[in-house]
Amino acid sequence: MASERTYIMIKPDGVQRGIVGQIISRFEQKGFKLVAMKLDKPTEEHLAIHYADLSTRKFFPGLIAYMASGPVCCMVWEGMNVVATGRVMLGATNPADSAPGTIRGDLCIHVSNNICHGSDSVDAANAEIALWFPECPIDYAHHSAPWLYEDVPATAEGAILGMGNPIMDISADVPLALLEEYGLKMGAAILAEDAHKSLYDKLVAEYSPQYIAGGATQNSCRVAQWIAGSSARVTAASFIGCVGADESAEKLRSAVRADGVKAYYLTDAEQPTGRCAALINESERSLVADIAAANCYQASHLDEPAVAAAIEKARVFYSAGFFLTVSVPALQKIATHAGANANKWFTMNLSAEFLVQFFKDQMMTMLPHCDIIFGNETEAAAFAATHELADASVGAVAQHIANLPKADATRPRYCVITQGADATCCAVAGGAAPTLYPVTPIAKADIVDSNGAGDAFVGGFLSVLQRTGAVTPECFEVGHKAAGRVIQVSGTSLQGLSW
């Protein structure tokens, strides 16, 4: 389904006459999706921008005065051919020429009071939406869509399959004295050493911690499931990784199950399940990670019947770059499968500066197989330095990565670089210039923990990709929304959050 948006505005006469509800019901009954609405009292300056194409007409001053005389109801509607269909539903500009059954044909008489405005083209709609809704319309799954459109791509069972390092986050509010005891600093993230081994037991025994299924790839899968599963009611996301034969593994399985993700864990009898102590003090945190069994994943696990069936079902495969340190052969096997199927996507993340710098060979082995590469501005800078690129700007690095040789040259690669609150940059192989997708900022006072923003963005992005099979603006809108929601909670904790 090719979806578009249109701007519909109920003018002051429509608001004053109390027929807003009737007009809204016409669009709802047709089957279009309302994605933004507000009551506004526009200034004459704002209206002059909106009606700039009429500024030379004799009636322009009267039009502006009329539109500024009272509140207007601003709306954005979404659906297939909604711009053209919306114009038909409104009727001719002059109500006298409008057919019975149209909004103007039924609800008004004179051209000077024709109650509604509707965009006359897709380009005009985009410009008008940007003018009246700079905060951006929202995006959500329309439950009626499968009953309205013949070709709506549905969320399928197991559509997203992640491969990565499963970690149990053990999160607790702690006094600064505990950090001092273990030589830790707020805001830092380190790998556990022998001196930290007792920290995990102490958290469990003394601080009533919260157990959150963690690990970058697993977090993205959890977010994707949170979004896709909210409308489809299916297990859209699955995950592959290695855990130990211990109580932590059972807690991890339970936590993942609670989030709706299907886990295919390989069990290693020698190493304990990976874990990360998240020590929180006044909204700041210190992370101590011991990945342990996650490092023991074996590619042979992919041949197990249940795992092989999950691979066959999946449409989108994703792995954070951290798995490059674990099993490149496993990644290659998944990537080869995706490459052999035109409707499947293999995606990865740069994930960390040290991976770009010190695991360059492993990364460059996998990049030819990647349909989408994710990363952030810091990782892009590290990539530019490591590969000695002449232009280290985010856009140039994204375009360079997108243009790198690809195993299947018939499928262009995308490179998506997030930049925190700044616009996300997307380059496509052979493209003239990257596209920037703006981010709706979150008030600083509302940000609790920004650590999960990147994982959440990917999860949101993939939740759309698996459904549409294409990189679209909706991928970025949903990715940004997911990141914005997750940074307002501690850790990537989704329990209690509604999409």
Side-chain angles (χ1 to χ4, degrees):
M1 178 192 69
S3 185
E4 61 192 30
R5 289 175 171 178
T6 191
Y7 175 66
I8 300 294
M9 177 167 57
I10 303 175
K11 298 178 180 181
D13 53 318
V15 174
Q16 295 286 5
R17 290 175 55 201
I19 56 177
V20 170
Q22 292 186 56
I23 296 170
I24 291 174
S25 70
R26 299 282 185 107
F27 284 85
E28 287 185 324
Q29 289 168 4
K30 180 68 176 176
F32 292 130
K33 180 171 72 171
L34 181 64
V35 294
M37 183 172 73
K38 65 182 177 182
L39 201 64
D40 196 8
K41 183 67 168 63
T43 64
E44 291 190 355
E45 292 77 12
H46 190 88
L47 290 164
I49 297 173
H50 177 81
Y51 287 111
D53 61 320
L54 302 175
S55 61
T56 60
R57 307 292 289 271
K58 288 172 52 176
F59 60 78
F60 183 73
L63 171 64
I64 298 301
Y66 153 62
M67 290 298 299
S69 67
V72 297
C73 182
C74 312
M75 298 177 287
V76 179
W77 292 90
E78 180 180 291
M80 186 172 66
N81 298 324
V82 68
V83 173
T85 304
R87 296 281 292 184
V88 173
M89 292 171 63
L90 293 182
T93 301
N94 188 341
D97 299 328
S98 296
T102 64
I103 291 170
R104 288 177 179 141
D106 290 351
L107 300 177
C108 58
I109 298 171
H110 196 275
V111 68
S112 296
N113 299 91
N114 64 0
I115 66 175
C116 273
H117 162 84
S119 303
D120 60 9
S121 70
V122 173
D123 287 343
N126 292 337
E128 290 169 357
I129 291 168
L131 176 65
W132 291 91
F133 289 93
E135 66 273 25
C136 297
I138 66 169
D139 191 273
Y140 61 95
H142 196 197
H143 284 262
S144 298
W147 301 101
L148 294 166
Y149 302 105
E150 184 178 42
D151 61 344
V152 174
T155 294
E157 191 84 15
I160 301 168
L161 182 60
M163 176 184 286
N165 300 330
I167 303 291
M168 172 60 78
D169 287 343
I170 306 173
S171 180
D173 291 305
V174 302
L176 289 175
L178 183 66
L179 280 81
E180 294 169 358
E181 179 182 347
Y182 286 91
L184 304 173
K185 296 180 180 180
M186 297 307 301
I190 67 170
L191 291 176
E193 300 177 358
D194 289 342
H196 303 119
K197 299 298 185 181
S198 64
L199 171 63
Y200 304 95
D201 291 336
K202 178 167 286 196
L203 283 178
V204 173
E206 300 179 18
Y207 294 99
S208 301
Q210 181 182 12
Y211 295 93
I212 304 171
T217 303
Q218 191 162 245
N219 281 342
S220 293
C221 289
R222 292 169 53 237
V223 171
Q225 174 62 34
W226 173 50
I227 299 168
S230 67
S231 59
R233 309 300 178 192
V234 299
T235 301
S238 302
F239 176 81
I240 297 170
C242 187
V243 297
D246 52 23
E247 184 180 356
S248 291
E250 293 308 311
K251 289 180 178 177
L252 189 56
R253 286 189 176 91
S254 177
V256 171
R257 191 181 305 114
D259 287 327
V261 175
K262 174 68 174 177
Y264 297 93
Y265 290 147
L266 172 66
T267 299
D268 184 88
E270 301 297 325
Q271 292 290 327
T273 297
R275 53 191 178 172
C276 180
L279 312 179
I280 303 171
N281 184 278
E282 296 184 356
S283 299
E284 291 191 75
R285 61 179 48 223
S286 181
L287 304 176
V288 186
D290 177 14
I291 64 174
N295 257 332
C296 301
Y297 188 82
Q298 301 295 319
S300 58
H301 180 241
L302 301 176
D303 297 324
E304 293 188 6
V307 180
I311 294 170
E312 287 296 327
K313 283 195 297 186
R315 298 172 180 171
V316 177
F317 300 94
Y318 173 68
S319 181
F322 298 109
F323 203 69
L324 291 170
T325 70
V326 177
S327 181
V328 171
L331 288 172
Q332 288 177 310
K333 187 165 185 175
I334 292 289
T336 300
H337 169 82
N341 292 270
N343 63 335
K344 297 196 175 190
W345 297 73
F346 182 76
T347 68
M348 281 190 63
N349 204 313
L350 300 178
S351 293
E353 292 176 77
F354 81 87
L355 293 169
V356 174
Q357 296 163 340
F358 303 117
F359 291 86
K360 174 183 174 182
D361 291 344
Q362 292 91 327
M363 187 169 288
M364 297 310 292
T365 295
M366 293 309 306
L367 281 182
H369 302 284
C370 294
D371 297 305
I372 304 176
I373 291 288
F374 297 97
N376 63 30
E377 73 276 30
T378 304
E379 294 149 9
F383 190 98
T386 301
H387 294 269
E388 300 180 343
L389 302 187
D391 188 344
S393 65
V394 167
V397 175
Q399 194 64 61
H400 175 87
I401 294 174
N403 288 340
L404 286 172
K406 196 166 184 292
D408 181 0
T410 65
R411 303 166 67 176
R413 178 189 295 111
Y414 294 83
C415 182
V416 178
I417 304 295
T418 58
Q419 305 183 83
D422 294 331
T424 295
C425 177
C426 177
V428 61
T435 301
L436 295 177
Y437 293 90
V439 176
T440 301
I442 303 299
K444 188 174 181 179
D446 293 332
I447 298 176
V448 175
D449 182 1
S450 62
N451 285 331
D455 297 339
F457 170 82
V458 172
F461 190 107
L462 298 183
S463 75
V464 177
L465 180 67
Q466 62 82 25
R467 174 170 51 81
T468 63
V471 176
T472 66
E474 185 186 3
C475 293
F476 296 87
E477 293 170 12
V478 175
H480 292 154
K481 179 182 175 182
R485 295 290 302 280
V486 165
I487 65 176
Q488 296 182 68
V489 298
S490 180
T492 310
S493 178
L494 305 177
Q495 293 299 309
L497 282 182
S498 61
W499 178 249

